[in-house]
């Protein structure tokens, strides 16, 4: 499974409210200098740092941002 596939599967889990939102970390921890995003999970460094202190609701907000950044949301759903 590729990192993109792993992230896509986690995104599906994050949309379910039956369980807490999973961490988007897929152990590809490299920050892209141009975008300021992790190349694995598409979070900013501030989002990564804050993750452990956030509520499940806040996690889901971050997941929505990740899904848009990673192109996992169709344009019509934006």
């Amino acid at each position: 499974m590729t990192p993109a596939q792993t992230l896509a599967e986690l995104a599906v889990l994050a949309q379910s409210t039956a369980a807490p939102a999973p961490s988007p970390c897929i152990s590809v921890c490299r920050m892209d200098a141009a975008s300021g995003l992790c190349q694995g999970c598409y979070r900013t460094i501030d989002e990564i740092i804050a993750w452990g202190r956030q509520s499940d609701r806040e996690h889901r907000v971050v997941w929505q941002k990740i899904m848009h950044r990673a192109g996992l949301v169709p344009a019509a759903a934006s």
Side-chain angles (χ1 to χ4, degrees):
M1 183 176 305
T2 68
Q5 290 170 323
T6 302
L7 187 64
E9 286 192 13
L10 287 172
V12 170
L13 293 175
Q15 293 179 52
S16 168
T17 58
S23 170
C25 181
I26 59 169
S27 299
V28 177
C29 305
R30 288 186 302 269
M31 297 306 289
D32 180 270
S35 69
L37 300 174
C38 173
Q39 293 177 349
C41 68
Y42 293 89
R43 289 183 288 175
T44 65
I45 192 69
D46 291 337
E47 290 168 343
I48 293 167
I49 291 167
W51 186 266
R53 298 185 311 268
Q54 292 177 318
S55 68
D56 189 59
R57 182 173 178 218
E58 292 168 309
H59 288 167
R60 292 179 193 286
V61 169
V62 172
W63 263 109
Q64 288 300 312
K65 293 175 185 178
I66 291 167
M67 291 167 54
H68 284 280
R69 292 170 186 160
L72 298 174
V73 177
S78 299

